Each structure stands twice: as C-alpha cells, then as structure tokens.
Amino acid sequence: MHNMEGTGRILRIAYCEDETAQAEYVSDMIKNWGERRNAACDVDLYGSAEEFLFEMDEAELFAYDLILLDISMQGMNCLLYTSDAADDTPC
C-alpha cells in the first residue's frame, strides 16, 4: 500500500452517490482520513452514474486515483456503468 503521508500530493477521488446526505458524509470521512495523514484529498461528488459518465472524458477519468460508485442507484447503477466503461476502455 502506498503511503500518502506528507507527500504534498493531492489524492483525487470521484464519488458517485445519489443520496446527498450519504455523499457528504463519506466525502467528509475521506477528507478527515487525509487530514489525519497530512495528505490532501479532493473529492468530486456526482449524483448519478449518468452525470459522472457524461461529464468525463478519457483524460479526466484517468486523472482520478480512486473512483467510488454506489451499487444501488436509480437509472444507471454502478454495475451498468462499469460494464459500459469496460467496453470503452482499451486493455
């Protein structure tokens, strides 16, 4: 596991969650985790898989260090998103 402590690097995280309270709670937890390790965490929140998918181009998608996806959402859930993304991502 990579140690982010004191590196001055910002950990970029995308979090896709349709419940606003849950999204804010988890975002705060991530930021607090980073502060305790002297590592900055930048969390971008998305309210749906569609919002995340349509706002991302390939360069932006690969700029994230971590992408968290809610498994149960209205419309396109994370399982459909990851299946769709896998089809478009070259190996």
Side-chain angles (χ1 to χ4, degrees):
M1 177 182 254
H2 181 68
N3 183 358
M4 292 291 297
E5 228 173 283
T7 62
R9 184 172 182 275
I10 297 175
L11 183 63
R12 293 206 55 222
I13 300 169
Y15 181 33
C16 189
E17 168 64 66
D18 59 342
E19 294 182 30
T20 305
Q22 180 71 16
E24 291 171 359
Y25 176 72
V26 172
S27 177
D28 288 343
M29 284 178 46
I30 292 168
K31 290 174 184 176
N32 289 334
W33 173 87
E35 287 174 6
R36 288 192 309 270
R37 286 157 183 77
N38 195 30
C41 294
D42 181 21
V43 182
D44 294 332
L45 300 177
Y46 297 91
S48 68
E50 292 92 347
E51 177 186 355
F52 176 72
L53 183 63
F54 295 121
E55 286 190 19
M56 294 293 107
D57 65 21
E58 192 171 308
E60 289 173 319
L61 182 60
F62 290 110
Y64 284 109
D65 298 298
L66 177 65
I67 298 172
L68 301 172
L69 302 168
D70 183 0
I71 196 166
S72 176
M73 291 188 290
Q74 296 295 321
M76 178 185 282
N77 64 32
C78 78
L79 298 175
L80 291 172
Y81 167 76
T82 54
S83 174
D84 197 39
D87 290 341
D88 294 337
T89 304
C91 294

Coordinates of all heavy atoms in Angstrom, one line a residue:
M1 N 0.8 -1.2 0.0 CA 0.0 0.0 0.0 C 0.9 1.2 0.0 O 1.8 1.3 0.7 CB -0.9 0.0 1.2 CG -1.8 1.2 1.3 SD -2.8 1.2 2.8 CE -4.3 0.8 2.1
H2 N 0.5 2.2 -0.8 CA 1.3 3.4 -1.0 C 1.0 4.4 0.2 O -0.1 4.6 0.6 CB 1.0 4.1 -2.3 CG 1.7 5.4 -2.5 ND1 3.1 5.4 -2.7 CD2 1.4 6.7 -2.5 CE1 3.5 6.6 -2.9 NE2 2.4 7.4 -2.8
N3 N 2.1 5.0 0.8 CA 1.9 5.9 1.9 C 1.8 7.3 1.3 O 2.8 7.8 0.8 CB 3.1 5.7 2.8 CG 3.0 6.6 4.0 OD1 2.0 7.4 4.2 ND2 4.0 6.5 4.9
M4 N 0.7 8.0 1.5 CA 0.4 9.3 1.1 C 0.9 10.4 2.1 O 0.9 11.5 1.8 CB -1.1 9.5 0.8 CG -1.6 8.8 -0.3 SD -1.0 9.3 -1.9 CE -1.7 11.0 -2.0
E5 N 1.3 9.9 3.3 CA 1.6 10.9 4.3 C 2.7 11.9 3.9 O 3.8 11.5 3.5 CB 2.1 10.1 5.6 CG 1.4 10.6 6.8 CD 1.7 9.7 8.0 OE1 1.1 8.6 8.1 OE2 2.5 10.1 8.8
G6 N 2.4 13.2 4.0 CA 3.4 14.2 3.9 C 4.0 14.3 2.5 O 5.0 14.9 2.3
T7 N 3.3 13.8 1.5 CA 3.9 13.8 0.1 C 3.6 15.1 -0.6 O 4.3 15.4 -1.6 CB 3.3 12.7 -0.8 OG1 1.9 12.9 -0.9 CG2 3.6 11.3 -0.2
G8 N 2.6 15.9 -0.1 CA 2.2 17.1 -0.8 C 1.4 16.8 -2.0 O 0.9 17.7 -2.7
R9 N 1.1 15.6 -2.3 CA 0.3 15.2 -3.4 C -1.2 15.2 -3.0 O -1.5 14.9 -1.9 CB 0.7 13.8 -3.9 CG 0.0 13.3 -5.1 CD 0.6 12.0 -5.6 NE 0.0 11.5 -6.8 CZ -1.2 10.8 -6.8 NH1 -1.8 10.5 -5.7 NH2 -1.7 10.4 -7.9
I10 N -2.0 15.6 -3.9 CA -3.4 15.5 -3.7 C -4.0 14.3 -4.2 O -3.9 13.9 -5.4 CB -4.1 16.8 -4.3 CG1 -3.6 18.0 -3.7 CG2 -5.7 16.7 -4.2 CD1 -4.1 19.3 -4.3
L11 N -4.7 13.5 -3.4 CA -5.4 12.3 -3.8 C -6.7 12.7 -4.4 O -7.6 13.3 -3.7 CB -5.6 11.4 -2.6 CG -6.2 10.0 -2.8 CD1 -5.3 9.2 -3.7 CD2 -6.5 9.3 -1.5
R12 N -6.9 12.4 -5.7 CA -8.2 12.8 -6.4 C -9.2 11.6 -6.4 O -8.8 10.5 -6.9 CB -7.9 13.2 -7.8 CG -7.1 14.5 -7.9 CD -7.3 15.2 -9.2 NE -8.7 15.5 -9.4 CZ -9.3 15.4 -10.6 NH1 -8.6 15.1 -11.7 NH2 -10.6 15.7 -10.8
I13 N -10.4 11.9 -5.9 CA -11.4 10.8 -5.7 C -12.7 11.3 -6.3 O -13.1 12.4 -6.1 CB -11.6 10.5 -4.2 CG1 -10.3 10.0 -3.6 CG2 -12.7 9.5 -4.1 CD1 -10.3 9.9 -2.1
A14 N -13.3 10.4 -7.1 CA -14.6 10.7 -7.7 C -15.6 9.7 -6.9 O -15.3 8.6 -6.7 CB -14.7 10.3 -9.1
Y15 N -16.7 10.3 -6.4 CA -17.6 9.5 -5.6 C -19.0 9.7 -6.2 O -19.5 10.8 -6.3 CB -17.6 9.9 -4.2 CG -18.6 9.2 -3.3 CD1 -18.9 7.8 -3.5 CD2 -19.2 9.8 -2.2 CE1 -19.7 7.1 -2.7 CE2 -20.0 9.1 -1.3 CZ -20.3 7.8 -1.6 OH -21.2 7.1 -0.8
C16 N -19.6 8.7 -6.7 CA -20.9 8.7 -7.4 C -21.9 8.1 -6.4 O -21.9 6.9 -6.1 CB -20.8 7.9 -8.7 SG -22.2 8.0 -9.7
E17 N -22.8 9.0 -5.9 CA -23.8 8.6 -4.9 C -25.0 9.4 -5.1 O -25.0 10.7 -5.2 CB -23.2 8.8 -3.5 CG -24.1 8.7 -2.3 CD -24.8 7.4 -2.1 OE1 -24.0 6.4 -1.8 OE2 -26.0 7.3 -2.4
D18 N -26.2 8.8 -5.1 CA -27.4 9.5 -5.4 C -28.1 10.1 -4.1 O -29.0 10.9 -4.2 CB -28.4 8.7 -6.2 CG -28.8 7.4 -5.5 OD1 -28.1 7.0 -4.6 OD2 -29.8 6.8 -5.9
E19 N -27.7 9.7 -3.0 CA -28.2 10.2 -1.7 C -27.2 11.3 -1.2 O -26.1 11.0 -0.8 CB -28.4 9.1 -0.7 CG -29.4 8.0 -1.1 CD -29.6 7.0 -0.1 OE1 -29.4 7.2 1.1 OE2 -29.9 5.8 -0.5
T20 N -27.7 12.5 -1.2 CA -26.9 13.7 -0.9 C -26.3 13.6 0.5 O -25.1 13.8 0.7 CB -27.7 15.0 -1.0 OG1 -28.3 15.0 -2.3 CG2 -26.9 16.2 -0.7
A21 N -27.1 13.2 1.5 CA -26.5 13.1 2.9 C -25.4 12.1 3.0 O -24.4 12.3 3.6 CB -27.7 12.7 3.9
Q22 N -25.6 10.9 2.3 CA -24.6 9.9 2.3 C -23.3 10.4 1.6 O -22.2 10.1 2.1 CB -25.1 8.6 1.6 CG -24.1 7.5 1.6 CD -23.9 6.8 2.9 OE1 -24.6 7.0 3.9 NE2 -22.8 6.1 3.0
A23 N -23.5 11.0 0.5 CA -22.4 11.6 -0.3 C -21.5 12.5 0.5 O -20.3 12.5 0.6 CB -22.8 12.2 -1.6
E24 N -22.2 13.4 1.2 CA -21.5 14.4 2.1 C -20.8 13.8 3.2 O -19.7 14.1 3.6 CB -22.5 15.5 2.5 CG -22.9 16.4 1.4 CD -24.1 17.3 1.8 OE1 -24.5 17.3 2.9 OE2 -24.5 18.1 0.9
Y25 N -21.5 12.8 3.9 CA -20.9 12.1 5.0 C -19.6 11.3 4.6 O -18.6 11.5 5.3 CB -21.9 11.1 5.6 CG -21.4 10.2 6.7 CD1 -21.2 10.7 7.9 CD2 -21.1 8.8 6.5 CE1 -20.7 9.9 9.0 CE2 -20.7 8.1 7.5 CZ -20.5 8.6 8.7 OH -20.0 7.8 9.8
V26 N -19.7 10.6 3.5 CA -18.5 9.8 3.1 C -17.4 10.8 2.6 O -16.2 10.6 2.9 CB -18.9 8.8 2.0 CG1 -17.6 8.2 1.3 CG2 -19.8 7.7 2.5
S27 N -17.8 11.9 1.9 CA -16.8 12.9 1.5 C -16.0 13.4 2.7 O -14.8 13.6 2.7 CB -17.5 14.0 0.7 OG -16.5 15.0 0.3
D28 N -16.8 13.8 3.8 CA -16.2 14.3 5.0 C -15.3 13.3 5.6 O -14.2 13.6 6.1 CB -17.2 14.7 6.0 CG -17.9 16.0 5.6 OD1 -17.4 16.7 4.7 OD2 -19.0 16.3 6.1
M29 N -15.7 12.0 5.6 CA -14.8 10.9 6.2 C -13.5 10.8 5.4 O -12.5 10.7 6.0 CB -15.6 9.6 6.1 CG -16.7 9.4 7.2 SD -17.6 7.8 7.0 CE -16.3 6.6 6.8
I30 N -13.6 10.9 4.1 CA -12.4 10.8 3.3 C -11.4 11.9 3.6 O -10.2 11.8 3.7 CB -12.7 10.7 1.8 CG1 -13.5 9.4 1.5 CG2 -11.5 10.9 0.9 CD1 -14.1 9.4 0.1
K31 N -12.0 13.1 3.6 CA -11.2 14.3 3.9 C -10.6 14.3 5.3 O -9.4 14.6 5.4 CB -12.0 15.6 3.7 CG -12.4 15.8 2.2 CD -13.3 17.0 2.1 CE -13.7 17.2 0.6 NZ -14.7 18.2 0.4
N32 N -11.3 13.8 6.3 CA -10.8 13.7 7.6 C -9.6 12.6 7.6 O -8.6 12.8 8.3 CB -11.9 13.3 8.6 CG -12.8 14.5 8.9 OD1 -12.4 15.6 8.7 ND2 -14.0 14.1 9.3
W33 N -9.8 11.5 6.9 CA -8.8 10.5 6.8 C -7.5 11.1 6.3 O -6.4 10.9 6.8 CB -9.3 9.4 5.9 CG -8.3 8.3 5.6 CD1 -8.0 7.2 6.3 CD2 -7.4 8.3 4.5 NE1 -7.0 6.5 5.7 CE2 -6.6 7.1 4.6 CE3 -7.2 9.1 3.4 CZ2 -5.6 6.8 3.7 CZ3 -6.2 8.8 2.5 CH2 -5.5 7.6 2.6
G34 N -7.7 11.9 5.2 CA -6.5 12.5 4.6 C -5.8 13.5 5.6 O -4.6 13.5 5.7
E35 N -6.6 14.3 6.3 CA -6.0 15.3 7.2 C -5.2 14.6 8.3 O -4.2 15.1 8.7 CB -7.2 16.1 7.8 CG -7.7 17.1 6.9 CD -8.9 17.9 7.5 OE1 -9.3 17.7 8.7 OE2 -9.6 18.6 6.7
R36 N -5.8 13.4 8.8 CA -5.0 12.7 9.9 C -3.7 12.2 9.4 O -2.8 11.8 10.1 CB -5.9 11.6 10.4 CG -7.1 12.0 11.2 CD -7.7 10.9 12.0 NE -8.1 9.8 11.1 CZ -9.2 9.6 10.5 NH1 -10.2 10.5 10.6 NH2 -9.5 8.5 9.8
R37 N -3.5 12.1 8.0 CA -2.3 11.5 7.4 C -1.5 12.6 6.7 O -0.6 12.3 6.0 CB -2.7 10.4 6.5 CG -3.1 9.2 7.2 CD -3.9 8.3 6.4 NE -4.3 7.1 7.1 CZ -5.3 7.1 8.0 NH1 -6.0 8.2 8.3 NH2 -5.6 6.0 8.7
N38 N -1.9 13.9 7.0 CA -1.2 15.0 6.4 C -1.2 14.9 4.8 O -0.2 15.2 4.2 CB 0.2 15.2 6.9 CG 0.7 16.6 6.6 OD1 0.0 17.5 6.5 ND2 2.1 16.6 6.5
A39 N -2.3 14.4 4.3 CA -2.4 14.2 2.8 C -3.8 14.8 2.4 O -4.8 14.6 3.0 CB -2.4 12.7 2.5
A40 N -3.7 15.6 1.4 CA -4.9 16.3 0.9 C -5.7 15.3 0.0 O -5.2 14.6 -0.8 CB -4.6 17.5 0.1
C41 N -7.0 15.4 0.2 CA -8.0 14.6 -0.6 C -9.0 15.5 -1.2 O -9.7 16.2 -0.6 CB -8.7 13.5 0.3 SG -7.6 12.3 1.0
D42 N -9.0 15.5 -2.5 CA -10.0 16.2 -3.3 C -11.1 15.3 -3.8 O -10.8 14.4 -4.6 CB -9.3 16.9 -4.5 CG -10.2 17.8 -5.3 OD1 -11.3 18.2 -4.8 OD2 -9.9 18.0 -6.5
V43 N -12.3 15.5 -3.3 CA -13.4 14.5 -3.6 C -14.4 15.3 -4.5 O -15.0 16.3 -4.1 CB -14.1 14.1 -2.3 CG1 -15.2 13.1 -2.6 CG2 -13.1 13.4 -1.3
D44 N -14.7 14.7 -5.7 CA -15.7 15.3 -6.6 C -16.9 14.4 -6.4 O -16.8 13.1 -6.6 CB -15.2 15.2 -8.0 CG -14.0 16.2 -8.2 OD1 -13.9 17.2 -7.5 OD2 -13.2 15.9 -9.1
L45 N -18.1 15.0 -6.1 CA -19.3 14.3 -5.9 C -20.2 14.3 -7.2 O -20.3 15.4 -7.8 CB -20.1 14.8 -4.8 CG -19.4 14.8 -3.4 CD1 -20.3 15.5 -2.4 CD2 -19.1 13.4 -3.0
Y46 N -20.7 13.2 -7.5 CA -21.7 13.0 -8.7 C -22.9 12.4 -8.2 O -22.9 11.4 -7.5 CB -21.0 12.2 -9.8 CG -19.8 12.9 -10.4 CD1 -18.5 12.6 -9.8 CD2 -19.9 13.8 -11.4 CE1 -17.4 13.2 -10.3 CE2 -18.7 14.4 -11.9 CZ -17.5 14.1 -11.3 OH -16.4 14.8 -11.8
G47 N -24.1 12.9 -8.6 CA -25.4 12.4 -8.1 C -25.9 11.2 -8.8 O -26.9 10.6 -8.4
S48 N -25.3 10.9 -9.9 CA -25.8 9.7 -10.7 C -24.6 9.2 -11.6 O -23.7 9.9 -11.9 CB -27.0 10.0 -11.6 OG -26.5 10.9 -12.6
A49 N -24.8 7.9 -12.0 CA -23.7 7.3 -12.9 C -23.8 8.1 -14.2 O -22.7 8.3 -14.8 CB -24.0 5.9 -13.1
E50 N -25.0 8.5 -14.7 CA -25.1 9.2 -15.9 C -24.3 10.5 -15.9 O -23.6 10.9 -16.8 CB -26.5 9.5 -16.3 CG -27.3 8.2 -16.7 CD -28.0 7.6 -15.5 OE1 -27.7 8.0 -14.3 OE2 -28.8 6.7 -15.7
E51 N -24.5 11.2 -14.7 CA -23.8 12.5 -14.6 C -22.3 12.3 -14.6 O -21.6 13.0 -15.3 CB -24.2 13.2 -13.2 CG -23.5 14.5 -12.9 CD -23.8 15.0 -11.5 OE1 -24.6 14.4 -10.8 OE2 -23.1 16.0 -11.2
F52 N -21.8 11.3 -13.9 CA -20.4 11.0 -13.9 C -19.9 10.6 -15.3 O -18.9 11.2 -15.8 CB -20.1 9.9 -12.9 CG -18.6 9.5 -12.9 CD1 -17.7 10.3 -12.4 CD2 -18.3 8.3 -13.4 CE1 -16.3 9.9 -12.4 CE2 -16.9 7.9 -13.4 CZ -16.0 8.7 -12.9
L53 N -20.6 9.7 -16.0 CA -20.2 9.2 -17.3 C -20.2 10.3 -18.3 O -19.2 10.4 -19.1 CB -21.2 8.1 -17.7 CG -20.9 7.4 -19.0 CD1 -19.6 6.7 -19.0 CD2 -22.1 6.4 -19.3
F54 N -21.2 11.2 -18.3 CA -21.3 12.2 -19.4 C -20.4 13.4 -19.2 O -20.1 14.1 -20.1 CB -22.8 12.6 -19.6 CG -23.6 11.5 -20.1 CD1 -24.7 11.0 -19.4 CD2 -23.3 10.8 -21.3 CE1 -25.5 9.9 -19.9 CE2 -24.0 9.7 -21.8 CZ -25.1 9.3 -21.1
E55 N -20.0 13.6 -17.9 CA -19.1 14.7 -17.6 C -17.6 14.4 -17.8 O -16.7 15.2 -17.8 CB -19.3 15.3 -16.2 CG -20.6 16.0 -16.1 CD -20.7 16.8 -14.8 OE1 -19.7 17.0 -14.1 OE2 -21.8 17.2 -14.4
M56 N -17.3 13.1 -17.9 CA -15.9 12.7 -18.0 C -15.5 12.4 -19.4 O -16.2 11.8 -20.2 CB -15.7 11.3 -17.3 CG -15.9 11.4 -15.8 SD -14.7 12.4 -15.0 CE -15.6 13.8 -14.6
D57 N -14.3 12.9 -19.8 CA -13.7 12.5 -21.0 C -12.6 11.5 -20.5 O -12.3 11.4 -19.4 CB -13.2 13.6 -21.9 CG -12.1 14.4 -21.3 OD1 -11.4 14.0 -20.4 OD2 -11.9 15.6 -21.7
E58 N -12.0 10.9 -21.4 CA -11.0 9.8 -21.1 C -9.8 10.4 -20.2 O -9.4 9.8 -19.2 CB -10.4 9.2 -22.3 CG -9.6 7.9 -22.0 CD -9.2 7.2 -23.2 OE1 -10.1 6.9 -24.0 OE2 -8.0 6.9 -23.4
A59 N -9.4 11.6 -20.5 CA -8.2 12.2 -19.8 C -8.7 12.5 -18.3 O -7.9 12.2 -17.4 CB -7.8 13.5 -20.5
E60 N -9.9 13.0 -18.2 CA -10.4 13.3 -16.8 C -10.6 12.0 -16.0 O -10.3 12.0 -14.8 CB -11.7 14.1 -16.9 CG -11.5 15.5 -17.3 CD -12.8 16.2 -17.5 OE1 -13.8 15.6 -18.0 OE2 -12.9 17.4 -17.2
L61 N -11.1 11.0 -16.6 CA -11.4 9.7 -16.0 C -10.1 9.1 -15.4 O -10.1 8.7 -14.2 CB -12.0 8.7 -16.9 CG -12.4 7.4 -16.3 CD1 -13.4 7.6 -15.2 CD2 -13.0 6.5 -17.4
F62 N -9.0 9.2 -16.2 CA -7.8 8.6 -15.7 C -7.0 9.5 -14.8 O -6.0 9.1 -14.3 CB -7.0 8.1 -16.9 CG -7.6 6.9 -17.6 CD1 -8.1 7.1 -18.9 CD2 -7.6 5.7 -17.0 CE1 -8.7 6.0 -19.5 CE2 -8.2 4.6 -17.6 CZ -8.8 4.7 -18.8
A63 N -7.5 10.7 -14.6 CA -6.8 11.6 -13.6 C -7.2 11.3 -12.2 O -6.5 11.7 -11.2 CB -7.2 13.1 -13.9
Y64 N -8.3 10.5 -12.0 CA -8.7 10.1 -10.6 C -7.8 9.0 -10.1 O -7.4 8.1 -10.8 CB -10.1 9.7 -10.6 CG -11.1 10.8 -10.7 CD1 -11.8 11.0 -11.8 CD2 -11.2 11.7 -9.6 CE1 -12.7 12.1 -11.9 CE2 -12.1 12.8 -9.7 CZ -12.8 13.0 -10.8 OH -13.7 14.0 -10.9
D65 N -7.5 9.1 -8.8 CA -6.7 8.0 -8.1 C -7.7 6.9 -7.7 O -7.3 5.7 -7.5 CB -6.0 8.6 -6.9 CG -5.0 9.6 -7.3 OD1 -4.0 9.2 -8.1 OD2 -5.1 10.8 -6.9
L66 N -8.9 7.3 -7.4 CA -9.9 6.3 -6.9 C -11.3 6.8 -7.3 O -11.6 8.0 -7.3 CB -9.9 6.3 -5.3 CG -10.9 5.4 -4.6 CD1 -10.6 4.0 -4.9 CD2 -10.8 5.7 -3.1
I67 N -12.1 5.8 -7.8 CA -13.5 6.1 -8.2 C -14.4 5.2 -7.3 O -14.2 4.0 -7.4 CB -13.7 5.8 -9.7 CG1 -12.8 6.7 -10.5 CG2 -15.2 6.0 -10.0 CD1 -12.8 6.4 -12.0
L68 N -15.2 5.8 -6.5 CA -16.2 5.1 -5.7 C -17.6 5.2 -6.3 O -18.0 6.3 -6.6 CB -16.2 5.7 -4.3 CG -14.9 5.7 -3.5 CD1 -15.1 6.4 -2.2 CD2 -14.5 4.2 -3.2
L69 N -18.2 4.0 -6.5 CA -19.6 4.0 -7.1 C -20.6 3.3 -6.2 O -20.3 2.2 -5.8 CB -19.5 3.3 -8.5 CG -18.5 3.8 -9.5 CD1 -18.3 2.8 -10.6 CD2 -19.0 5.1 -10.0
D70 N -21.7 4.0 -6.0 CA -22.8 3.4 -5.3 C -23.4 2.2 -6.1 O -23.6 2.4 -7.3 CB -23.9 4.5 -5.0 CG -25.0 4.0 -4.2 OD1 -25.1 2.8 -3.8 OD2 -26.0 4.8 -4.0
I71 N -23.6 1.1 -5.4 CA -24.1 -0.1 -6.1 C -25.6 0.0 -6.4 O -26.1 -0.7 -7.4 CB -23.7 -1.4 -5.4 CG1 -23.8 -2.6 -6.3 CG2 -24.6 -1.5 -4.1 CD1 -23.2 -3.8 -5.8
S72 N -26.3 0.8 -5.7 CA -27.8 0.8 -5.8 C -28.2 2.3 -6.1 O -28.4 3.0 -5.2 CB -28.4 0.3 -4.6 OG -29.8 0.4 -4.7
M73 N -28.5 2.6 -7.4 CA -28.9 3.9 -7.7 C -30.0 3.8 -8.7 O -30.1 2.8 -9.4 CB -27.8 4.8 -8.3 CG -26.7 5.1 -7.3 SD -25.5 6.3 -8.0 CE -24.6 5.2 -9.2
Q74 N -30.8 4.9 -8.8 CA -31.8 5.0 -9.9 C -31.2 5.1 -11.2 O -30.1 5.7 -11.3 CB -32.8 6.2 -9.6 CG -33.5 6.1 -8.3 CD -34.6 4.9 -8.4 OE1 -35.2 4.7 -9.4 NE2 -34.7 4.3 -7.2
G75 N -31.8 4.6 -12.3 CA -31.2 4.8 -13.6 C -30.1 3.8 -13.8 O -30.1 2.6 -13.4
M76 N -28.9 4.3 -14.3 CA -27.8 3.5 -14.5 C -27.0 3.4 -13.1 O -26.6 4.3 -12.6 CB -26.8 4.2 -15.5 CG -25.5 3.5 -15.7 SD -24.4 4.3 -16.8 CE -25.1 4.0 -18.4
N77 N -27.0 2.1 -12.6 CA -26.3 1.9 -11.4 C -24.8 1.6 -11.7 O -24.4 1.6 -12.9 CB -26.9 0.8 -10.5 CG -26.9 -0.5 -11.2 OD1 -25.9 -0.9 -11.9 ND2 -27.9 -1.3 -11.0
C78 N -24.0 1.4 -10.7 CA -22.5 1.2 -10.9 C -22.2 0.0 -11.7 O -21.3 -0.1 -12.4 CB -21.8 1.3 -9.6 SG -21.9 -0.3 -8.6
L79 N -23.1 -1.0 -11.6 CA -22.8 -2.3 -12.3 C -23.0 -2.0 -13.8 O -22.2 -2.5 -14.6 CB -23.7 -3.4 -11.8 CG -23.5 -3.8 -10.3 CD1 -24.5 -4.8 -9.9 CD2 -22.1 -4.3 -10.1
L80 N -24.0 -1.3 -14.2 CA -24.2 -1.0 -15.6 C -23.1 0.0 -16.1 O -22.6 -0.2 -17.2 CB -25.6 -0.3 -15.8 CG -26.8 -1.2 -15.6 CD1 -28.0 -0.4 -15.7 CD2 -26.8 -2.3 -16.7
Y81 N -22.7 0.9 -15.2 CA -21.7 1.9 -15.6 C -20.3 1.2 -15.8 O -19.7 1.4 -16.8 CB -21.5 3.0 -14.5 CG -20.2 3.7 -14.8 CD1 -20.1 4.7 -15.8 CD2 -19.0 3.4 -14.1 CE1 -19.0 5.3 -16.1 CE2 -17.8 4.1 -14.4 CZ -17.8 5.1 -15.4 OH -16.7 5.7 -15.7
T82 N -19.9 0.3 -14.9 CA -18.6 -0.3 -15.0 C -18.6 -1.3 -16.3 O -17.6 -1.4 -16.9 CB -18.2 -1.1 -13.8 OG1 -19.3 -2.0 -13.4 CG2 -18.0 -0.2 -12.6
S83 N -19.8 -1.9 -16.5 CA -19.9 -2.7 -17.7 C -19.7 -1.9 -19.0 O -19.0 -2.2 -19.9 CB -21.2 -3.5 -17.7 OG -21.4 -4.1 -18.9
D84 N -20.4 -0.7 -19.0 CA -20.3 0.2 -20.1 C -18.9 0.8 -20.3 O -18.4 0.8 -21.4 CB -21.3 1.3 -19.9 CG -21.6 2.1 -21.2 OD1 -21.7 1.5 -22.3 OD2 -21.7 3.3 -21.1
A85 N -18.3 1.1 -19.2 CA -16.9 1.7 -19.2 C -15.9 0.7 -19.7 O -15.0 1.0 -20.4 CB -16.5 2.2 -17.8
A86 N -16.1 -0.6 -19.2 CA -15.2 -1.6 -19.6 C -15.2 -1.9 -21.1 O -14.2 -2.1 -21.8 CB -15.5 -2.9 -18.9
D87 N -16.4 -1.7 -21.7 CA -16.5 -1.9 -23.2 C -15.7 -0.8 -23.9 O -15.3 -1.0 -25.0 CB -18.0 -1.8 -23.6 CG -18.7 -3.1 -23.1 OD1 -18.1 -4.1 -22.8 OD2 -20.0 -3.0 -23.1
D88 N -15.6 0.4 -23.3 CA -15.0 1.5 -24.0 C -13.5 1.7 -23.6 O -12.9 2.6 -24.2 CB -15.7 2.8 -23.6 CG -17.1 2.9 -24.2 OD1 -17.4 2.1 -25.2 OD2 -18.0 3.6 -23.6
T89 N -13.0 0.9 -22.7 CA -11.7 1.1 -22.2 C -10.7 0.1 -22.9 O -10.9 -1.1 -22.7 CB -11.6 1.0 -20.7 OG1 -12.5 1.9 -20.1 CG2 -10.2 1.3 -20.2
P90 N -9.7 0.6 -23.6 CA -8.8 -0.4 -24.2 C -7.9 -1.1 -23.1 O -7.5 -0.4 -22.1 CB -7.9 0.5 -25.1 CG -8.0 1.8 -24.5 CD -9.4 1.9 -23.9
C91 N -7.6 -2.3 -23.3 CA -6.8 -3.1 -22.3 C -5.3 -3.0 -22.7 O -5.0 -2.9 -23.8 CB -7.2 -4.5 -22.2 SG -8.8 -4.7 -21.5

